[in-house]
Amino acid sequence: MEYQVKIYGKKEDLPPLNDVKFFHYVSSFDWNQNISFYRPMMLIVFCDEKPIASMFALIMRINRLMYGSVFKRCYISQQPSFYEENVNKIEIFNLLISSLVKEVENKVFFIEYRNLNDAVFGYKGFRENGFYSAKWINVRNSLQRKRKIWDQLSSTRKNQVNKARRKGVVVEELTSHDKLREIYKLIDKSRNWKMSKKFPPYQYFENFFNCYVSLGKGKILISRYNEKIIGGIILGFEQKTVYVLYFWGKEKRYKTYYPTVFTIFSAMEMAEKEGYEFFDFMDSGYLNINAGKPRFLLQFGGKPKSTRRWYRFNWRLLNFFAKKIYD
């Protein structure tokens, strides 16, 4: 088969595409719209003018006031969307990665591919295009086991959920913009984001509410105690899978109310009742199940799975030394 790759920078130019993989929905353009330092793009593989695969990529400036390629990064999440099953997915993925590198190598300083959920997928394409990898761990819960979610919790987590209930903590779905700004500030103050320094702007969350929550492609759940928001979680939906995009809680002030634990359990319980099969925390940290975040998430009954994050510096010398260190 002869394949052709086309790159689109605007949603209105895209051909009709089905929603297959959450991070490669056409609505990803809407999610990232009206943000001056974000530049979305969609790479589509055609065969006889028919789309057979697509991959969404996002270029962002790490400093809103600085311009030039050295201040830009390119991020891609999850395996591409494939619209045909009887195709060579590895060959198509190699073509997508090669096309992406050719498109952005002089426009960005760094490329990162994450949330693949598979340590082997795309290995050949990444290596041929100069990527190096870091081993990560993915935590994913099955919601369709014979054992219910409650029975999969560790005894510690069960006690914490029960204590939160007795103290009057409740979880509800956010259905309006009223508390969105407050939620944004709460996530911004969380320790994880202070360390990562990749916190998106408010417009990013408002777009998600308007283009995903309003259309049933996602949900925002919040935990309340005495009318005060003390925790929350943002979820994305893909066919049979629920993805955890962000979760947070006021762990210092409301430590004995266990806002994070109660919110995560309530979200999993909701997903179970609505018939989803998997609850995916995605990449949870470096490959070490004894590290804080993986150990915390595994107490909800999920299984660890090794995966990789792939990186490529577009400065050849820097990329050479990075490959020597990590590979």
Side-chain angles (χ1 to χ4, degrees):
M1 293 185 180
E2 185 174 343
Y3 300 123
Q4 181 185 13
V5 179
K6 293 183 180 180
I7 302 175
Y8 298 85
K10 296 181 180 179
K11 177 185 175 182
E12 52 267 28
D13 295 334
L14 294 173
L17 299 172
N18 296 326
D19 287 342
V20 177
K21 302 296 289 185
F22 178 78
F23 290 99
H24 302 287
Y25 288 174
V26 171
S27 51
S28 295
F29 279 94
D30 300 321
W31 191 358
N32 294 280
Q33 68 182 346
N34 300 324
I35 303 175
S36 61
F37 50 97
Y38 281 13
R39 182 196 159 194
M41 67 174 70
M42 184 78 83
L43 293 84
I44 302 179
V45 179
F46 291 87
C47 181
D48 296 329
E49 299 185 356
K50 180 181 180 182
I52 58 173
S54 67
M55 183 174 77
F56 180 83
L58 181 65
I59 294 177
M60 64 175 70
R61 295 202 312 270
I62 60 170
N63 189 309
R64 304 178 191 185
L65 303 176
M66 299 292 185
Y67 292 83
S69 62
V70 71
F71 299 106
K72 294 180 181 179
R73 308 288 187 267
C74 181
Y75 296 100
I76 314 97
S77 291
Q78 212 175 55
Q79 295 182 19
S81 294
F82 291 99
Y83 307 113
E84 299 285 341
E85 287 301 320
N86 57 339
V87 294
N88 188 330
K89 293 183 179 181
I90 299 301
E91 180 183 353
I92 292 172
F93 183 74
N94 293 354
L95 184 59
L96 283 168
I97 286 294
S98 299
S99 300
L100 176 70
V101 170
K102 185 177 180 180
E103 173 69 18
V104 306
E105 64 178 344
N106 295 319
K107 299 176 182 178
V108 304
F109 177 64
F110 186 72
I111 304 173
E112 178 180 333
Y113 206 126
R114 52 196 174 189
N115 302 328
L116 281 167
N117 293 339
D118 190 332
V120 178
F121 182 86
Y123 187 92
K124 181 174 180 289
F126 284 123
R127 289 300 187 193
E128 289 179 351
N129 285 281
F131 284 76
Y132 66 92
S133 66
K135 294 180 179 179
W136 281 70
I137 186 172
N138 171 262
V139 177
R140 199 181 203 205
N141 290 64
S142 173
L143 304 178
Q144 299 300 313
R145 299 178 186 172
K146 293 181 179 180
R147 295 169 62 213
K148 296 294 184 181
I149 288 298
W150 177 257
D151 297 323
Q152 296 178 35
L153 298 183
S154 68
S155 57
T156 300
R157 292 287 171 258
K158 288 180 179 179
N159 290 335
Q160 292 169 344
V161 170
N162 285 330
K163 287 179 181 178
R165 282 174 171 165
R166 288 197 297 267
K167 291 182 178 182
V169 180
V170 296
V171 168
E172 60 187 49
E173 185 178 343
L174 187 72
T175 56
S176 70
H177 288 83
D178 296 346
K179 298 295 181 180
L180 198 57
R181 181 72 69 173
E182 180 181 352
I183 290 171
Y184 176 78
K185 291 179 180 178
L186 288 175
I187 306 175
D188 192 13
K189 291 178 181 178
S190 69
R191 261 180 274 174
N192 290 340
W193 287 108
K194 289 297 180 184
M195 294 179 66
S196 70
K197 297 182 180 179
K198 295 179 183 176
F199 192 62
Y202 173 74
Q203 185 68 51
Y204 180 86
F205 289 87
E206 187 173 52
N207 289 343
F208 179 80
F209 185 89
N210 292 334
C211 305
Y212 282 72
V213 175
S214 300
L215 298 177
K217 296 179 182 180
K219 280 187 180 181
I220 301 176
L221 303 180
I222 54 175
S223 294
R224 288 184 181 271
Y225 173 71
N226 285 347
E227 299 305 315
K228 293 182 179 180
I229 298 175
I230 64 172
I233 190 168
I234 300 179
L235 307 171
F237 302 144
E238 173 199 293
Q239 298 176 352
K240 300 178 181 180
T241 302
V242 176
Y243 292 101
V244 179
L245 305 180
Y246 306 95
F247 64 85
W248 73 96
K250 289 186 174 181
E251 294 297 335
K252 290 184 177 179
R253 187 170 182 180
Y254 295 94
K255 183 177 180 180
T256 59
Y257 295 82
Y258 306 104
T260 304
V261 171
F262 188 71
T263 304
I264 291 176
F265 168 73
S266 299
M268 293 175 67
E269 193 175 44
M270 175 276 300
E272 183 181 54
K273 289 178 180 178
E274 294 187 5
Y276 289 95
E277 295 183 5
F278 299 101
F279 196 85
D280 199 332
F281 290 99
M282 298 186 289
D283 292 359
S284 303
Y286 287 105
L287 192 59
N288 180 6
I289 62 175
N290 294 318
K293 187 177 179 181
R295 186 173 68 248
F296 170 77
L297 296 176
L298 287 170
Q299 290 183 325
F300 290 92
K303 298 294 184 182
K305 183 178 180 181
S306 63
T307 182
R308 295 173 187 262
R309 279 192 179 184
W310 291 91
Y311 307 94
R312 185 185 193 273
F313 286 103
N314 289 326
W315 286 6
R316 293 186 179 180
L317 185 61
L318 186 57
N319 199 61
F320 172 80
F321 285 114
K323 290 170 70 174
K324 290 293 184 181
I325 293 171
Y326 284 95
D327 287 347

